[in-house]
Amino acid sequence: MALRADAVRNRAAILTAASEVFATHGPNATTEQVAQQAGVAVGTVFRHFPTKDDLLVAIMKESLARLAALTNESTLATFFDAVVDEAVRTRMVVIALGDSGLDIGDALQGLTDNVTQLLDQAKAAGEARPTVQVDEVMALLTAAAYAAQQASWTADLRQRTLAVILRGLE
Amino acid sequence: MALRADAVRNRAAILTAASEVFATHGPNATTEQVAQQAGVAVGTVFRHFPTKDDLLVAIMKESLARLAALTNESTLATFFDAVVDEAVRTRMVVIALGDSGLDIGDALQGLTDNVTQLLDQAKAAGEARPTVQVDEVMALLTAAAYAAQQASWTADLRQRTLAVILRGLE
DNA sequence: GAATATAGTGAGTGCCCACTCATATTTCAA
DNA sequence: TTGAAATATGAGTGGGCACTCACTATATTC
């Protein structure tokens, strides 16, 4: 057998709790806080994720996977929106897309692959000029995600800022 | 009199040291590291800047002031470049432009004022459409500064990414 | 060149937090 | 049902780091 029933349950609870706690208090939130939110002792958290960084990596990968899954049903424009949404909600993608020193290379690569397809479609639809490369798009996604974190961002400012970027890609 | 000669000297040394240390090791660098780099004891650092945050605020303000001074001799395009430069060099502007919880509101306001003028000039020169507002520009500056921090950014990627943003403003 | 205020020193203090481990509890196979 | 393997528990440990303070050193004033 693989994993005891309670272990499965707790692992899930910890991941959920970690998402909420880190989203609310940022990556400096305590492992203790996560444990409490999950209704579990600290030791349990560390059994499942030997390191706080492991926990961070886990939820960042979840986040990236969620975004990668979205590319199927998105245009470049709606995807930018989705990334910003996710960034605001989880506060983690930003670090993920960015340079965090954490090892999420593979998940990032997966996302990049999907964005490449999205970009190709956009080019075909005349929404992106042919000379645009994926790395620019990834860079702009990171940038948008980060900037969107500002407390001062209204829905309006967000819309206008993304509009500038999208117009720039055309 | 205001400040003893050695105090003036040390204060300057501490600021310089702090810039270097934080630029190299990020904002989590130790106050002890700063002291060493400045050739001074920790106590001295704390005499001048009662809090580590005070020190961070001080060098961020320097950075922002440096940028504000640049707006006179810049176009919108060269200013974007300058901001990215400063971001890469100091690693601090990013936090400054962003939402750090630190109190730099006034310095940010000063910068915003200058950028407003820059934007007006750009509009007059036909380099920015009249509907663009300053807050978008500030947001895009923040975004660019952050994205530029990625280790993976080559000069080429940077040029292409900024080009997209600038084209979007037109 | 004292006298006094001002500044510098750095070992020490307390706090926070990631991580451990001896012990208690739960699951599950037989 | 039972017992051994897997998990959970949470008080404790260690280390890092911001910040202090009793004391020493230096600058300035007259």
Side-chain angles (χ1 to χ4, degrees), chain B residues 13-99:
Chain B
I14 290 167
L15 279 171
T16 306
S19 294
E20 292 176 15
V21 170
F22 289 131
T24 311
H25 299 88
N28 290 328
T30 302
T31 312
E32 181 60 46
Q33 286 176 266
V34 174
Q36 246 177 293
Q37 174 83 15
V40 136
V42 225
T44 303
V45 176
F46 280 102
R47 168 182 279 273
H48 288 279
F49 305 93
T51 275
K52 191 187 170 182
D53 277 358
D54 289 333
L55 186 53
L56 285 171
V57 167
I59 67 176
M60 290 199 270
K61 283 187 173 172
E62 276 191 344
S63 193
L64 291 179
R66 207 150 42 221
L67 287 174
L70 267 181
T71 51
N72 298 321
E73 45 191 271
S74 302
T75 66
L76 207 50
T78 61
F79 187 64
F80 263 89
D81 241 314
V83 168
V84 168
D85 261 348
E86 181 81 16
V88 170
R89 239 201 318 281
T90 70
R91 266 210 202 179
M92 288 287 113
V93 220
V94 173
I95 309 178
L97 292 171
D99 201 37

Coordinates of all heavy atoms in Angstrom, one line a residue, chain B residues 13-99:
Chain B
A13 N 29.5 56.2 5.0 CA 30.0 54.8 4.8 C 28.9 53.8 4.9 O 28.9 52.8 4.2 CB 31.2 54.6 5.8
I14 N 28.1 53.9 5.9 CA 27.0 53.0 6.2 C 26.1 52.9 5.0 O 25.7 51.8 4.5 CB 26.3 53.3 7.5 CG1 27.2 53.0 8.7 CG2 25.0 52.5 7.6 CD1 26.7 53.6 10.0
L15 N 25.7 54.1 4.5 CA 24.7 54.1 3.4 C 25.3 53.4 2.1 O 24.7 52.6 1.5 CB 24.4 55.6 3.0 CG 23.3 56.1 3.9 CD1 23.1 57.6 3.7 CD2 22.0 55.4 3.7
T16 N 26.6 53.8 1.9 CA 27.3 53.1 0.7 C 27.3 51.6 0.9 O 27.0 50.8 0.0 CB 28.7 53.7 0.6 OG1 28.7 55.1 0.5 CG2 29.4 53.1 -0.7
A17 N 27.7 51.2 2.1 CA 27.9 49.8 2.4 C 26.5 49.1 2.2 O 26.4 48.0 1.6 CB 28.4 49.6 3.8
A18 N 25.5 49.7 2.8 CA 24.2 49.1 2.7 C 23.7 48.9 1.3 O 23.2 47.9 0.9 CB 23.2 50.0 3.5
S19 N 24.0 49.9 0.4 CA 23.6 49.8 -1.0 C 24.2 48.5 -1.6 O 23.6 47.7 -2.2 CB 24.1 51.0 -1.8 OG 23.4 52.1 -1.4
E20 N 25.5 48.4 -1.3 CA 26.3 47.3 -1.9 C 25.7 46.0 -1.4 O 25.4 45.0 -2.1 CB 27.8 47.4 -1.6 CG 28.4 48.5 -2.4 CD 29.9 48.7 -2.0 OE1 30.4 47.7 -1.4 OE2 30.5 49.8 -2.3
V21 N 25.7 45.9 -0.1 CA 25.3 44.6 0.6 C 23.9 44.2 0.2 O 23.7 43.0 -0.2 CB 25.4 44.7 2.1 CG1 24.8 43.5 2.8 CG2 26.9 44.9 2.5
F22 N 23.0 45.1 0.3 CA 21.6 44.7 -0.1 C 21.4 44.4 -1.6 O 20.6 43.6 -2.0 CB 20.6 45.8 0.4 CG 20.4 45.9 1.9 CD1 20.5 47.1 2.5 CD2 20.2 44.7 2.6 CE1 20.4 47.2 3.9 CE2 20.1 44.8 4.0 CZ 20.1 46.0 4.6
A23 N 22.2 45.1 -2.4 CA 22.2 44.9 -3.8 C 22.7 43.4 -4.1 O 22.1 42.7 -4.9 CB 23.0 45.9 -4.6
T24 N 23.7 43.0 -3.3 CA 24.3 41.7 -3.6 C 23.5 40.6 -3.0 O 23.2 39.6 -3.6 CB 25.7 41.7 -3.0 OG1 26.4 42.8 -3.5 CG2 26.4 40.4 -3.5
H25 N 23.1 40.8 -1.7 CA 22.5 39.7 -1.0 C 21.0 39.8 -0.8 O 20.4 39.0 -0.1 CB 23.2 39.5 0.4 CG 24.6 39.2 0.3 ND1 25.6 40.2 0.2 CD2 25.3 38.0 0.2 CE1 26.8 39.6 0.1 NE2 26.7 38.3 0.1
G26 N 20.4 40.9 -1.3 CA 19.0 41.1 -1.1 C 18.7 41.7 0.3 O 19.6 41.8 1.1
P27 N 17.4 42.0 0.5 CA 17.0 42.7 1.7 C 17.2 41.8 3.0 O 17.0 42.4 4.1 CB 15.6 43.0 1.5 CG 15.2 42.4 0.2 CD 16.3 41.8 -0.4
N28 N 17.4 40.6 2.9 CA 17.6 39.7 4.1 C 19.0 39.7 4.6 O 19.4 39.1 5.5 CB 17.2 38.3 3.8 CG 15.7 38.2 3.6 OD1 14.9 38.9 4.2 ND2 15.3 37.3 2.8
A29 N 19.9 40.5 3.9 CA 21.3 40.6 4.4 C 21.3 41.1 5.8 O 20.4 41.9 6.2 CB 22.1 41.5 3.5
T30 N 22.2 40.7 6.6 CA 22.3 41.1 8.0 C 22.8 42.5 8.2 O 23.6 43.0 7.5 CB 23.3 40.1 8.7 OG1 22.8 38.8 8.5 CG2 23.4 40.4 10.1
T31 N 22.3 43.1 9.3 CA 22.8 44.4 9.6 C 24.3 44.2 10.0 O 25.1 45.2 9.7 CB 22.1 44.9 10.9 OG1 20.7 44.8 10.7 CG2 22.4 46.4 11.1
E32 N 24.7 43.1 10.5 CA 26.1 42.8 10.8 C 27.0 42.9 9.5 O 28.0 43.5 9.5 CB 26.2 41.5 11.4 CG 27.6 41.0 11.8 CD 28.3 42.0 12.8 OE1 27.6 42.3 13.8 OE2 29.5 42.4 12.6
Q33 N 26.4 42.4 8.4 CA 27.2 42.4 7.1 C 27.4 43.9 6.7 O 28.5 44.2 6.2 CB 26.4 41.7 6.0 CG 26.4 40.2 6.1 CD 25.5 39.5 5.1 OE1 24.3 39.3 5.3 NE2 26.0 39.3 3.9
V34 N 26.3 44.7 6.8 CA 26.4 46.1 6.5 C 27.5 46.7 7.3 O 28.4 47.5 6.8 CB 25.1 46.8 6.7 CG1 25.3 48.3 6.4 CG2 24.1 46.2 5.7
A35 N 27.5 46.5 8.6 CA 28.5 47.1 9.5 C 29.9 46.8 9.1 O 30.7 47.6 9.0 CB 28.2 46.6 10.9
Q36 N 30.1 45.5 8.8 CA 31.4 45.0 8.4 C 31.9 45.7 7.2 O 33.0 46.3 7.1 CB 31.4 43.5 8.2 CG 32.2 42.8 9.2 CD 32.1 41.3 9.0 OE1 31.1 40.7 9.2 NE2 33.2 40.6 8.6
Q37 N 31.0 45.7 6.2 CA 31.3 46.4 4.9 C 31.7 47.8 5.1 O 32.5 48.4 4.4 CB 30.2 46.2 3.9 CG 30.3 46.9 2.6 CD 31.1 46.1 1.6 OE1 31.4 45.0 1.8 NE2 31.6 46.8 0.6
A38 N 31.0 48.4 6.1 CA 31.2 49.9 6.3 C 32.5 50.1 7.2 O 32.9 51.2 7.5 CB 30.0 50.5 6.9
G39 N 33.0 49.0 7.8 CA 34.1 49.2 8.7 C 33.7 49.8 10.0 O 34.4 50.7 10.5
V40 N 32.7 49.3 10.6 CA 32.0 50.0 11.7 C 31.4 48.9 12.6 O 31.1 47.8 12.1 CB 31.0 51.0 11.1 CG1 29.7 51.0 11.8 CG2 31.6 52.4 11.0
A41 N 31.1 49.2 13.8 CA 30.4 48.2 14.6 C 28.9 48.3 14.5 O 28.4 49.3 14.1 CB 30.8 48.4 16.1
V42 N 28.2 47.2 14.8 CA 26.8 47.2 14.6 C 26.1 48.3 15.3 O 25.2 48.9 14.8 CB 26.2 45.9 15.2 CG1 25.2 45.3 14.2 CG2 27.2 44.9 15.6
G43 N 26.6 48.5 16.5 CA 26.0 49.6 17.3 C 25.9 50.9 16.6 O 24.9 51.7 16.7
T44 N 27.0 51.2 15.8 CA 27.0 52.4 15.1 C 25.9 52.5 14.0 O 25.3 53.5 13.8 CB 28.4 52.6 14.4 OG1 29.4 52.5 15.5 CG2 28.5 53.9 13.8
V45 N 25.8 51.4 13.4 CA 24.7 51.3 12.4 C 23.4 51.7 13.0 O 22.6 52.5 12.5 CB 24.6 49.9 11.7 CG1 23.4 49.9 10.7 CG2 25.9 49.6 11.0
F46 N 23.1 51.1 14.2 CA 21.8 51.3 14.8 C 21.7 52.7 15.4 O 20.6 53.1 15.7 CB 21.6 50.2 15.9 CG 21.1 48.9 15.3 CD1 22.0 47.8 15.1 CD2 19.8 48.8 14.8 CE1 21.6 46.7 14.5 CE2 19.4 47.6 14.2 CZ 20.2 46.5 14.1
R47 N 22.8 53.3 15.7 CA 22.7 54.7 16.2 C 22.2 55.6 15.1 O 21.4 56.4 15.3 CB 24.1 55.2 16.6 CG 24.2 56.7 16.9 CD 25.5 57.1 17.3 NE 25.8 56.9 18.7 CZ 25.5 57.7 19.7 NH1 24.9 58.9 19.4 NH2 25.8 57.5 20.9
H48 N 22.7 55.3 13.9 CA 22.3 56.1 12.7 C 20.9 55.8 12.2 O 20.1 56.6 11.8 CB 23.3 56.1 11.6 CG 24.6 56.8 11.9 ND1 24.7 58.2 11.8 CD2 25.8 56.4 12.4 CE1 25.9 58.6 12.2 NE2 26.6 57.5 12.6
F49 N 20.6 54.5 12.2 CA 19.4 54.0 11.7 C 18.8 53.0 12.7 O 19.1 51.8 12.7 CB 19.5 53.3 10.3 CG 20.2 54.2 9.3 CD1 21.6 54.1 9.2 CD2 19.5 55.1 8.5 CE1 22.2 55.0 8.2 CE2 20.1 55.9 7.6 CZ 21.5 55.8 7.5
P50 N 17.9 53.5 13.6 CA 17.4 52.8 14.7 C 16.8 51.4 14.4 O 16.7 50.6 15.2 CB 16.3 53.7 15.3 CG 16.7 55.1 14.8 CD 17.3 54.9 13.5
T51 N 16.5 51.3 13.1 CA 15.8 50.1 12.7 C 16.4 49.6 11.4 O 16.8 50.5 10.5 CB 14.3 50.3 12.6 OG1 13.7 50.2 13.8 CG2 13.7 49.4 11.6
K52 N 16.4 48.3 11.1 CA 16.9 47.9 9.8 C 16.0 48.4 8.7 O 16.5 48.8 7.7 CB 16.8 46.3 9.8 CG 17.5 45.8 8.6 CD 17.3 44.3 8.5 CE 17.8 43.8 7.2 NZ 17.6 42.3 7.0
D53 N 14.7 48.5 9.0 CA 13.8 49.1 8.0 C 14.2 50.6 7.7 O 14.1 51.0 6.6 CB 12.4 49.0 8.5 CG 11.8 47.6 8.2 OD1 12.5 46.8 7.6 OD2 10.6 47.4 8.6
D54 N 14.6 51.3 8.7 CA 15.0 52.7 8.5 C 16.1 52.7 7.5 O 16.1 53.6 6.6 CB 15.4 53.3 9.8 CG 14.3 53.6 10.7 OD1 13.1 53.7 10.2 OD2 14.5 53.6 11.9
L55 N 17.0 51.8 7.6 CA 18.2 51.7 6.7 C 17.7 51.4 5.3 O 18.1 52.1 4.3 CB 19.2 50.7 7.2 CG 20.5 50.6 6.4 CD1 21.2 51.9 6.4 CD2 21.4 49.5 7.1
L56 N 16.8 50.5 5.2 CA 16.3 50.1 3.9 C 15.5 51.3 3.2 O 15.8 51.6 2.1 CB 15.3 48.9 4.0 CG 16.0 47.6 4.2 CD1 15.0 46.5 4.5 CD2 16.7 47.2 2.9
V57 N 14.7 51.9 4.0 CA 14.0 53.1 3.5 C 15.0 54.2 3.0 O 14.8 54.7 2.0 CB 13.1 53.7 4.6 CG1 12.6 55.1 4.2 CG2 11.9 52.8 4.9
A58 N 16.0 54.4 3.8 CA 17.0 55.4 3.4 C 17.6 55.1 2.0 O 17.6 56.0 1.2 CB 18.1 55.5 4.5
I59 N 18.0 53.9 1.8 CA 18.7 53.7 0.5 C 17.7 53.6 -0.6 O 17.9 53.9 -1.8 CB 19.6 52.4 0.5 CG1 18.8 51.2 0.7 CG2 20.6 52.5 1.6 CD1 19.7 49.9 0.6
M60 N 16.4 53.2 -0.3 CA 15.4 53.2 -1.3 C 15.1 54.6 -1.8 O 14.9 54.9 -2.9 CB 14.2 52.5 -0.8 CG 14.4 51.0 -0.7 SD 12.8 50.1 -0.6 CE 12.5 50.1 1.1
K61 N 15.1 55.5 -0.8 CA 14.8 56.9 -1.1 C 15.9 57.5 -2.0 O 15.6 58.2 -2.9 CB 14.6 57.7 0.2 CG 13.2 57.5 0.8 CD 13.0 58.4 2.0 CE 11.6 58.3 2.5 NZ 11.3 59.1 3.8
E62 N 17.1 57.1 -1.6 CA 18.2 57.6 -2.5 C 18.0 57.1 -3.9 O 18.2 57.9 -4.8 CB 19.6 56.9 -1.9 CG 20.2 57.7 -0.8 CD 21.6 57.1 -0.6 OE1 21.9 56.0 -1.1 OE2 22.4 57.8 0.1
S63 N 17.7 55.9 -4.0 CA 17.5 55.3 -5.3 C 16.4 56.0 -6.1 O 16.5 56.4 -7.3 CB 17.1 53.8 -5.2 OG 17.2 53.1 -6.4
L64 N 15.3 56.3 -5.4 CA 14.2 56.9 -6.1 C 14.5 58.4 -6.4 O 14.2 58.9 -7.5 CB 12.9 56.9 -5.1 CG 12.3 55.6 -4.9 CD1 11.1 55.7 -4.0 CD2 11.9 55.0 -6.3
A65 N 15.3 59.0 -5.5 CA 15.7 60.4 -5.8 C 16.6 60.4 -7.1 O 16.5 61.3 -7.9 CB 16.4 61.0 -4.6
R66 N 17.5 59.4 -7.1 CA 18.4 59.3 -8.3 C 17.5 59.3 -9.6 O 17.8 59.9 -10.6 CB 19.2 58.1 -8.1 CG 20.6 58.1 -8.8 CD 21.6 57.2 -8.0 NE 21.0 56.0 -7.5 CZ 21.3 55.4 -6.3 NH1 22.1 56.0 -5.5 NH2 20.8 54.3 -6.0
L67 N 16.5 58.5 -9.5 CA 15.7 58.3 -10.7 C 14.9 59.6 -11.0 O 14.8 60.0 -12.1 CB 14.7 57.1 -10.5 CG 15.3 55.8 -10.6 CD1 14.3 54.7 -10.3 CD2 15.9 55.5 -12.0
A68 N 14.4 60.2 -9.9 CA 13.6 61.4 -10.1 C 14.5 62.5 -10.8 O 14.0 63.2 -11.7 CB 13.1 61.9 -8.8
A69 N 15.8 62.5 -10.4 CA 16.7 63.5 -11.0 C 16.9 63.2 -12.4 O 17.1 64.2 -13.2 CB 18.0 63.5 -10.2
L70 N 16.8 62.0 -12.8 CA 17.1 61.6 -14.2 C 16.0 62.1 -15.2 O 16.2 62.2 -16.4 CB 17.2 60.1 -14.3 CG 18.6 59.5 -14.2 CD1 18.6 58.0 -14.3 CD2 19.5 60.1 -15.3
T71 N 14.8 62.3 -14.7 CA 13.7 62.5 -15.6 C 13.9 63.8 -16.4 O 13.4 63.9 -17.6 CB 12.3 62.7 -14.8 OG1 12.5 63.7 -13.8 CG2 11.9 61.4 -14.3
N72 N 14.7 64.7 -15.9 CA 14.9 65.9 -16.7 C 15.6 65.6 -18.1 O 15.2 66.2 -19.1 CB 15.9 66.9 -15.9 CG 15.2 67.3 -14.6 OD1 14.0 67.5 -14.6 ND2 16.0 67.3 -13.6
E73 N 16.5 64.8 -18.1 CA 17.3 64.5 -19.3 C 16.9 63.2 -20.0 O 17.6 62.6 -20.7 CB 18.8 64.4 -18.9 CG 19.0 63.6 -17.7 CD 20.5 63.7 -17.2 OE1 21.3 62.9 -17.7 OE2 20.7 64.6 -16.4
S74 N 15.6 62.8 -19.8 CA 15.2 61.6 -20.3 C 14.0 61.7 -21.2 O 13.2 62.7 -21.1 CB 14.8 60.6 -19.2 OG 15.9 60.3 -18.4
T75 N 13.8 60.8 -22.1 CA 12.5 60.6 -22.8 C 11.9 59.4 -22.0 O 12.5 58.8 -21.2 CB 12.7 60.2 -24.2 OG1 13.3 58.9 -24.3 CG2 13.6 61.2 -25.0
L76 N 10.6 59.1 -22.4 CA 10.0 58.0 -21.7 C 10.7 56.7 -22.0 O 10.9 55.9 -21.0 CB 8.5 57.9 -22.3 CG 7.5 57.3 -21.4 CD1 7.5 57.9 -20.0 CD2 6.1 57.4 -22.0
A77 N 11.2 56.6 -23.2 CA 11.9 55.4 -23.5 C 13.2 55.2 -22.7 O 13.5 54.2 -22.1 CB 12.2 55.3 -25.0
T78 N 14.0 56.3 -22.7 CA 15.3 56.1 -22.0 C 15.1 56.0 -20.5 O 15.8 55.4 -19.8 CB 16.2 57.3 -22.3 OG1 15.6 58.5 -21.8 CG2 16.5 57.4 -23.8
F79 N 14.0 56.6 -20.0 CA 13.7 56.5 -18.6 C 13.3 55.1 -18.2 O 13.8 54.6 -17.2 CB 12.5 57.4 -18.2 CG 12.3 57.5 -16.7 CD1 13.3 58.0 -15.9 CD2 11.2 57.0 -16.2 CE1 13.1 58.1 -14.5 CE2 11.0 57.1 -14.8 CZ 11.9 57.6 -14.0
F80 N 12.6 54.4 -19.0 CA 12.3 53.0 -18.8 C 13.6 52.2 -18.6 O 13.7 51.4 -17.7 CB 11.4 52.4 -19.9 CG 9.9 52.4 -19.5 CD1 9.1 53.4 -19.8 CD2 9.4 51.3 -18.9 CE1 7.8 53.4 -19.5 CE2 8.0 51.2 -18.6 CZ 7.2 52.3 -18.9
D81 N 14.5 52.5 -19.5 CA 15.8 51.9 -19.5 C 16.5 52.2 -18.2 O 17.1 51.3 -17.5 CB 16.6 52.3 -20.7 CG 17.0 51.2 -21.6 OD1 17.4 50.2 -21.0 OD2 16.8 51.3 -22.8
A82 N 16.5 53.4 -17.8 CA 17.1 53.8 -16.6 C 16.6 53.1 -15.3 O 17.3 52.7 -14.4 CB 17.1 55.3 -16.4
V83 N 15.3 53.0 -15.3 CA 14.6 52.4 -14.2 C 15.0 50.9 -14.1 O 15.4 50.4 -13.0 CB 13.1 52.5 -14.3 CG1 12.4 51.6 -13.2 CG2 12.7 53.9 -14.0
V84 N 15.1 50.3 -15.2 CA 15.5 48.9 -15.2 C 16.9 48.7 -14.8 O 17.3 47.8 -14.0 CB 15.2 48.2 -16.6 CG1 15.9 46.9 -16.8 CG2 13.7 48.1 -16.9
D85 N 17.7 49.6 -15.3 CA 19.1 49.6 -14.9 C 19.2 49.7 -13.4 O 19.9 48.9 -12.7 CB 19.9 50.9 -15.4 CG 20.6 50.5 -16.7 OD1 20.8 49.3 -16.9 OD2 21.1 51.5 -17.4
E86 N 18.6 50.7 -12.8 CA 18.6 50.9 -11.4 C 18.1 49.7 -10.6 O 18.7 49.3 -9.6 CB 17.8 52.2 -11.0 CG 17.8 52.5 -9.6 CD 19.1 53.3 -9.1 OE1 19.8 53.8 -10.0 OE2 19.3 53.4 -7.9
A87 N 17.1 49.1 -11.2 CA 16.5 47.9 -10.5 C 17.5 46.8 -10.5 O 17.7 46.1 -9.5 CB 15.2 47.5 -11.2
V88 N 18.2 46.6 -11.6 CA 19.1 45.5 -11.7 C 20.3 45.8 -10.7 O 20.8 44.9 -10.0 CB 19.6 45.3 -13.1 CG1 20.8 44.3 -13.1 CG2 18.5 44.8 -14.0
R89 N 20.7 47.0 -10.8 CA 21.9 47.4 -10.0 C 21.6 47.3 -8.5 O 22.4 46.7 -7.7 CB 22.4 48.8 -10.3 CG 23.8 48.9 -10.8 CD 24.4 50.3 -10.7 NE 23.4 51.3 -11.0 CZ 23.1 51.7 -12.2 NH1 23.7 51.1 -13.2 NH2 22.2 52.6 -12.5
T90 N 20.5 47.8 -8.1 CA 20.3 48.0 -6.6 C 19.3 46.9 -6.0 O 19.3 46.7 -4.8 CB 19.7 49.3 -6.3 OG1 18.3 49.4 -6.8 CG2 20.5 50.4 -6.9
R91 N 18.5 46.3 -6.9 CA 17.6 45.3 -6.4 C 16.6 45.9 -5.4 O 15.8 45.2 -4.8 CB 18.3 44.2 -5.6 CG 18.7 43.0 -6.4 CD 18.7 41.9 -5.4 NE 19.5 40.7 -5.8 CZ 19.6 39.6 -5.1 NH1 19.0 39.6 -3.9 NH2 20.4 38.6 -5.5
M92 N 16.6 47.2 -5.2 CA 15.8 47.8 -4.1 C 14.6 48.5 -4.7 O 13.5 48.5 -4.1 CB 16.6 48.7 -3.3 CG 17.6 48.1 -2.4 SD 16.8 47.3 -1.0 CE 17.2 45.5 -1.4
V93 N 14.8 49.2 -5.8 CA 13.7 50.0 -6.4 C 12.5 49.2 -6.5 O 11.4 49.7 -6.3 CB 14.1 50.5 -7.8 CG1 13.6 51.9 -8.0 CG2 15.5 50.4 -8.1
V94 N 12.7 48.0 -6.9 CA 11.6 47.1 -7.1 C 10.7 47.1 -5.8 O 9.5 47.3 -5.9 CB 12.1 45.7 -7.3 CG1 11.0 44.7 -7.4 CG2 12.9 45.7 -8.6
I95 N 11.3 46.8 -4.7 CA 10.6 46.8 -3.5 C 10.0 48.2 -3.2 O 8.9 48.3 -2.7 CB 11.5 46.4 -2.3 CG1 12.2 45.1 -2.7 CG2 10.7 46.2 -1.1 CD1 13.2 44.6 -1.7
A96 N 10.8 49.2 -3.6 CA 10.4 50.5 -3.4 C 9.1 50.9 -4.2 O 8.1 51.3 -3.6 CB 11.5 51.5 -3.7
L97 N 9.2 50.6 -5.5 CA 8.1 50.9 -6.3 C 6.9 50.0 -5.9 O 5.7 50.4 -6.0 CB 8.4 50.6 -7.8 CG 9.4 51.5 -8.4 CD1 9.9 51.0 -9.7 CD2 8.9 52.9 -8.5
G98 N 7.2 48.9 -5.4 CA 6.2 47.9 -5.0 C 5.6 48.2 -3.7 O 5.8 49.3 -3.1
D99 N 5.1 47.2 -3.1 CA 4.2 47.3 -1.9 C 5.0 46.7 -0.8 O 4.9 45.5 -0.5 CB 3.0 46.5 -2.2 CG 1.8 46.9 -1.3 OD1 1.7 48.1 -1.0 OD2 1.1 46.1 -0.9

